[in-house]
């Protein structure tokens, strides 16, 4: 087939997703496997490499590179996973070395949020704005910075950890062990915590959300969105609060980085205007106007940006 | 004399300082005048230009460029002051155009904190680290970002407004009109507010700080430093609190930008270890280690970095 393709591998705590992607960002094949992070990292590498070889021969494609996105703090120069609560056993493993030994194409390794934001930058924003703050809303909250059109990594490759900036003092306990982190309010577990607290404060009162989801342990952002779209005041209140917390974290980033665009990616972003409206409202109230005036807040419409971004980043790096 | 010199002009609400500086950062002549921002901006430009011509002929120097640092939000591309509480009447004035018309050397205009941080980067850090977050502690709190060895300005030139990131919710009222801004805690007026609140809570109790400064209206950071150095527990408590607030703001920046160095500039930084110790202590407690491990926190030892940085930046731009 014409043109090189990239293969993106998005390695999360539960699932690992692979996608073969053209340079234009079109997905030509997708597949997912269980991550099984309790097994050894070498075994995982062997499983993924078999799949990569299979994809390559099946597609009869010219693979330009493989990009690996890891849910954790990554030393992208060396290709090592340094810190990852959800991939604990694999810490300090050199993924680039292990994959490169088994593959004949170049391998790049980075934080999963960095690569998802790179994907959103390339496809949703067509690489036009110069400065973009990307935020990924899933179980956790990650981020990636595109400054002057390039992925910015910082001194140790840890830049863009938006989810662990503090928005409340002392605030809720975060998975990282800190208090008041944005993630503890805007990650899906934070949103569920807000929902439970509000439901509890309402006591025995009726609510559509309660009817849609009678078991609080089953609460998740998609149900809360559904209830809000059907007009439930309690569900709307949850999104209003979540949006205001997100706005607090994002306003700090705007003050510091003065981006052209904030790009919101990840599953929770499907809440759409339920989320962006309280953010925009809060930002309109900022007295220091200049950095907010030209700012545009965008929600990424594509799913699977983690894989796609990893594939595109690998293709970009191989050129 | 040998080599070109730059002239830096640091335009503050009260005073305007000028310095003629060699490419190595040596100040060869300094002078200051009253800003008088109630007069017209054109009159101010004429006054400064006369002084610049005087300096040029007196020093018999080859002037490579003039750098103007303005205490406010600056459109550095056009050279226009957009927003400045302390230079209110001069908002929307095009300083670059007005100066360029009267001078035969190139003129650059930027935010004063950006230029002070540039000076600190060039002289204190010898342009060695790649990524530096600079913070200027004076009446207000400003900041400048050096990313990949270059001054980062963002989409509208407003990047680095560290002083207006929020560290408390809702928090103290800031001069900008917002609430909870770092400046309201770590700017000199914020430090004085902390001191007054602590003195009040102590009631009639004795304190060295009270003896050194019997009139609360005369309180300023230098007196509080003096009392703390002489062992006054209340003064130490003021610096401990200020340092912890600063650390909260700076930790957020470290999470986002992952710099090699945080450089603290400005008059209040003379508190030295009274300030850096509580910052370091708080940062050691951050659970997300990687971005903090390699971080170095430095206090700029030179004064007048605003002028010197403006001069060096003008020289750099002219090359």
């Amino acid at each position: 087939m014409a043109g090189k393709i990239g293969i993106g591998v998005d390695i999360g705590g539960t699932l690992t997703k692979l996608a073969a992607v053209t340079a234009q960002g079109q997905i030509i094949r997708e597949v997912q496997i269980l991550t099984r992070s309790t097994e050894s990292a070498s075994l995982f590498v062997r499983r993924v490499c078999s799949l990569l070889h299979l994809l390559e021969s099946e597609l009869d494609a010219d693979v330009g590179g493989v990009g690996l996105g890891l849910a954790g703090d990554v030393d992208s120069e060396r290709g090592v996973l340094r810190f990852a609560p959800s991939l604990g056993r694999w810490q300090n493993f050199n993924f680039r070395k292990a994959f490169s030994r088994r593959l004949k194409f170049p391998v790049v390794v980075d934080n999963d949020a960095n690569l998802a934001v790179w994907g959103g930058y390339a496809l949703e924003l067509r690489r036009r704005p110069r400065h973009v703050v990307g935020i990924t809303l899933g179980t956790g909250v990650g981020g990636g910075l595109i400054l002057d059109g390039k992925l910015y990594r910082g001194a140790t490759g840890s830049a863009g950890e938006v989810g662990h900036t503090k928005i409340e003092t002392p605030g809720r306990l975060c998975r990282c062990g800190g208090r008041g982190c944005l993630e503890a309010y805007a990650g899906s577990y934070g949103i569920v915590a807000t929902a439970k607290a509000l439901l509890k404060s309402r006591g025995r009162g009726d609510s559509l959300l309660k009817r849609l989801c009678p078991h609080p342990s089953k609460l998740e952002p998609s149900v809360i969105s559904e209830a809000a779209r059907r007009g439930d005041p309690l569900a709307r209140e949850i999104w209003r609060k979540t949006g205001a917390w997100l706005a607090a974290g994002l306003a700090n980033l705007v003050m510091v980085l003065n981006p052209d665009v904030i790009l919101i990616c990840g599953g929770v972003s499907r809440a759409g205007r339920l989320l962006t409206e309280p953010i925009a409202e809060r930002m309109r109230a900022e007295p220091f106007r200049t950095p907010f005036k030209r700012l545009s807040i965008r929600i990424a419409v594509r799913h699977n940006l983690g894989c796609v971004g990893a594939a595109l980043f690998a293709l970009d790096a191989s050129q």
Side-chain angles (χ1 to χ4, degrees), chain A:
Chain A
M1 51 174 296
K4 294 206 172 192
I5 64 155
I7 301 184
V9 186
D10 188 13
I11 306 168
T14 310
L15 289 175
T16 291
K17 299 177 187 171
L18 288 87
V21 176
T22 67
Q24 291 72 43
Q26 199 197 336
I27 297 177
I28 48 179
R29 185 87 160 76
E30 275 179 293
V31 54
Q32 63 183 38
I33 58 171
L34 288 170
T35 302
R36 293 198 192 127
S37 62
T38 50
E39 292 177 2
S40 78
S42 319
L43 186 58
F44 172 76
V45 173
R46 283 207 293 279
R47 284 165 59 219
V48 174
C49 284
S50 313
L51 211 50
L52 288 171
H53 286 306
L54 206 68
L55 275 180
E56 191 195 7
S57 64
E58 192 187 301
L59 295 171
D60 189 22
D62 184 6
V63 178
V66 171
L68 307 174
L70 286 154
D73 183 48
V74 173
D75 177 341
S76 61
E77 272 176 38
R78 290 168 57 226
V80 172
L81 177 67
R82 277 184 303 219
F83 175 66
S86 61
L87 300 169
R89 270 200 66 188
W90 299 353
Q91 267 168 217
N92 299 316
F93 186 79
N94 191 321
F95 281 85
R96 185 161 68 193
K97 211 189 261 179
F99 273 95
S100 296
R101 210 177 281 145
R102 296 174 167 271
L103 301 171
K104 60 183 188 293
F105 16 82
V107 177
V108 297
V109 184
D110 215 310
N111 168 264
D112 58 348
N114 276 355
L115 297 180
V117 170
W118 184 256
Y121 179 64
L123 299 179
E124 308 267 331
L125 305 178
R126 301 186 171 277
R127 304 182 197 231
R128 279 193 198 123
R130 280 171 65 211
H131 311 302
V132 177
V133 167
I135 181 164
T136 58
L137 302 178
T139 308
V141 174
L145 309 179
I146 313 292
L147 306 181
D148 273 322
K150 287 183 299 191
L151 184 63
Y152 173 81
R153 288 202 183 83
T156 65
S158 316
E161 282 296 346
V162 176
H164 302 286
T165 60
K166 268 64 169 177
I167 55 154
E168 288 280 349
T169 44
R172 292 184 189 167
L173 190 63
C174 174
R175 290 190 306 174
C176 77
R179 279 199 173 272
C181 295
L182 176 58
E183 175 171 305
Y185 298 84
S188 62
Y189 72 93
I191 299 171
V192 168
T194 305
K196 285 183 181 169
L198 278 174
L199 281 166
K200 206 174 161 188
S201 73
R202 288 286 176 97
R204 288 168 190 277
D206 187 40
S207 131
L208 176 62
L209 183 59
K210 260 190 199 169
R211 273 179 277 142
L212 285 175
C213 184
H215 298 288
S217 64
K218 298 264 167 67
L219 267 173
E220 53 174 82
S222 58
V223 190
I224 306 170
S225 292
E226 178 57 24
R229 287 207 183 89
R230 287 160 68 175
D232 181 47
L234 189 118
R236 286 183 173 262
E237 174 69 6
I238 297 165
W239 285 117
R240 205 195 52 74
K241 277 179 169 268
T242 304
W245 278 314
L246 255 173
L250 293 174
N252 281 349
L253 291 174
V254 172
M255 279 298 170
V256 174
L257 288 170
N258 185 199
D260 298 283
V261 179
I262 287 176
L263 183 66
I264 305 178
C265 317
V268 174
S269 71
R270 280 172 226 156
R273 294 179 62 180
L274 291 168
L275 208 51
T276 51
E277 278 180 2
I279 294 177
E281 188 186 323
R282 163 83 185 249
M283 288 197 174
R284 274 195 297 272
E286 283 289 332
F288 198 124
R289 294 303 316 146
T290 327
F292 293 94
K293 258 191 216 158
R294 248 185 53 186
L295 177 71
S296 130
I297 299 169
R298 295 272 301 271
I299 287 212
V301 292
R302 276 163 233 251
H303 301 168
N304 230 347
L305 276 176
C307 273
V308 176
L312 291 179
F313 197 76
L315 279 180
D316 290 337
S318 71
Q319 276 165 6

